[in-house]
Amino acid sequence: MTDRDVFLPVGAQPTLEDIVDQAVAAEELGYDRVWFPETWGRDAVTAMATTAERTDEIGIGSSIANIYSRSPALLGQTAATLQEASDGRFRLGVGPSGPLVVENWHGIEFGNPLRRTRETIEIVQRVLSGETVSYDCEYFSLDGFRLRCDPPEPAPPVDAAGLGPKAVELAGRFADGWHAVNYTRDGLRERLDDLRRGAELSGRDSSDLRVTLAVGCCALEDGERARELVAQHIAFYIGGMGTFYRDNLARQGYEEVAHEIYETWQEGEKERATTLVRKELRDQMGAAGTPAEARDQLQEFVDLNGLDAVNVSFPRGAGPEEVRETMTALAP
């Protein structure tokens, strides 16, 4: 059975209390896990720790903690602490983000994100095991680091985000799960083959890896506003968040429209970019409309083979009441 998770827009909500209230509501509505992003608003760790204290059963995870703004050792410490704070409900999701974020906002050279992701995952897993970490590779060289506290039991799983074939293969080789975002239903299937190949390269069974797909959702009585919010959200990511999402969509058979949306957005014609999404992509990448319409569309994602969880995420333009209405309408 496919889990139903929820992805909370940490930075966009009016207060930290609003975010935690949404997580509490997600638990009451029966969601399996609540994921916290970390972009340029509130940090995810504080929100997750506060949520752990206010909830009892719902899983908690980071989606995605970028591997440049925290060292691998610190990520391991953080995961161990959040596993303790949540009584074993934590799952760490990591990923490289992109040069727009890493270089412009954190002042760190982007370099080779695949290699850095692999090294980060390996170090975090060793930290969480409680062993003394001696590690010497391209990006990180550690000697003698060890948790001063007892290691978490069980150790929290470590998932990786990935868009391209090699990044998804890497998740299959080294991580405990894969986070997929901005995929069409057909496009996801091809990347699942990459995940399986990665698992095979490391001698693992891909069925042991947790695959989580984030789906942009909006379910409102005003179905037209819901559809427009999701179209705007998709256009923003393809057009305004660097080239990674554009290129990922192009690989899924939408090369012409992906580049057109990107170029149109970059020229400042955001409404025209949204119109392109509305016509060609919205129904392939999201679930939007009235509650009944959105539930039917979300079910098409739930029914995909190879998924362990569908992550209900919300458009960046949705207000707190629209987030709550959507969360309620699409609850398990």
Side-chain angles (χ1 to χ4, degrees):
M1 182 176 178
T2 304
D3 284 354
R4 188 76 56 91
D5 296 350
V6 67
F7 179 92
L8 292 183
V10 174
Q13 299 309 297
T15 67
L16 177 62
E17 186 71 14
D18 290 323
I19 299 162
V20 177
D21 284 346
Q22 288 172 351
V24 171
E27 180 173 70
E28 293 170 349
L29 289 166
Y31 283 94
D32 294 285
R33 185 171 298 273
V34 57
W35 295 100
F36 292 84
E38 188 169 66
T39 50
W40 58 92
R42 298 177 184 88
D43 78 279
V45 175
T46 303
M48 290 187 289
T50 308
T51 295
E53 192 275 331
R54 291 268 304 273
T55 57
D56 299 308
E57 297 179 355
I58 194 168
I60 298 169
S62 60
S63 181
I64 296 294
N66 96 63
I67 58 171
Y68 290 88
S69 59
R70 293 186 178 88
S71 74
L74 180 57
L75 282 168
Q77 290 176 265
T78 302
T81 307
L82 286 168
Q83 182 74 327
E84 181 180 6
S86 65
D87 295 323
R89 293 181 282 141
F90 182 65
R91 198 170 183 107
L92 176 68
V94 299
S97 188
L100 184 69
V101 171
V102 171
E103 295 183 350
N104 290 4
W105 298 351
H106 294 288
I108 300 172
E109 183 181 354
F110 195 59
N112 183 342
L114 290 178
R115 183 70 204 185
R116 192 175 181 116
T117 299
R118 171 180 173 172
E119 292 184 22
T120 296
I121 292 171
E122 289 178 333
I123 294 169
V124 167
Q125 290 171 335
R126 294 185 193 186
V127 169
L128 291 171
S129 75
E131 68 180 74
T132 299
V133 182
S134 294
Y135 189 92
D136 186 18
C137 277
E138 182 177 341
Y139 281 98
F140 299 105
S141 180
L142 282 72
D143 186 21
F145 181 90
R146 185 178 182 180
L147 285 176
R148 188 175 182 181
C149 56
D150 291 335
E153 182 57 45
V158 182
D159 297 339
L163 294 176
K166 289 298 182 183
V168 178
E169 181 184 295
L170 183 147
R173 289 182 67 189
F174 300 103
D176 298 305
W178 170 46
H179 287 243
V181 63
N182 276 294
Y183 277 92
T184 64
R185 289 187 293 277
D186 290 338
L188 181 76
R189 295 185 180 96
E190 190 172 347
R191 292 290 79 80
L192 287 171
D193 290 338
D194 298 320
L195 187 76
R196 285 188 282 268
R197 182 171 59 254
E200 290 169 1
L201 288 170
S202 63
R204 300 194 295 170
D205 187 337
S206 62
S207 65
D208 293 333
L209 305 179
R210 178 184 168 99
V211 178
T212 302
L213 172 67
V215 180
C217 299
C218 196
L220 307 174
E221 290 302 325
D222 184 349
E224 188 53 42
R225 172 162 172 79
R227 287 185 285 270
E228 187 65 11
L229 284 171
V230 168
Q232 290 171 357
H233 183 83
I234 295 170
F236 169 76
Y237 270 86
I238 296 169
M241 286 296 286
T243 60
F244 283 96
Y245 295 114
R246 178 200 68 187
D247 294 344
N248 186 50
L249 181 61
R251 281 190 294 267
Q252 298 175 63
Y254 291 89
E255 183 171 5
E256 184 177 340
V257 71
H259 284 272
E260 189 175 1
I261 291 168
Y262 176 81
E263 291 162 7
T264 302
W265 187 280
Q266 292 296 310
E267 292 167 358
E269 297 184 50
K270 297 179 181 179
E271 175 53 39
R272 181 164 170 259
T274 302
T275 298
L276 291 167
V277 170
R278 191 186 305 126
K279 289 181 177 179
E280 301 195 42
L281 290 170
R282 184 185 58 207
D283 295 341
Q284 277 291 317
M285 299 181 72
T290 65
E293 291 169 339
R295 281 192 293 266
D296 287 345
Q297 291 176 31
L298 186 62
Q299 189 63 42
E300 294 185 44
F301 290 95
V302 171
D303 291 340
L304 290 172
N305 289 328
L307 277 186
D308 298 288
V310 168
N311 195 355
V312 174
S313 63
F314 309 100
R316 58 193 298 270
E321 290 305 315
E322 291 169 323
V323 168
R324 182 66 65 92
E325 187 175 346
T326 299
M327 192 190 305
T328 302
L330 300 181

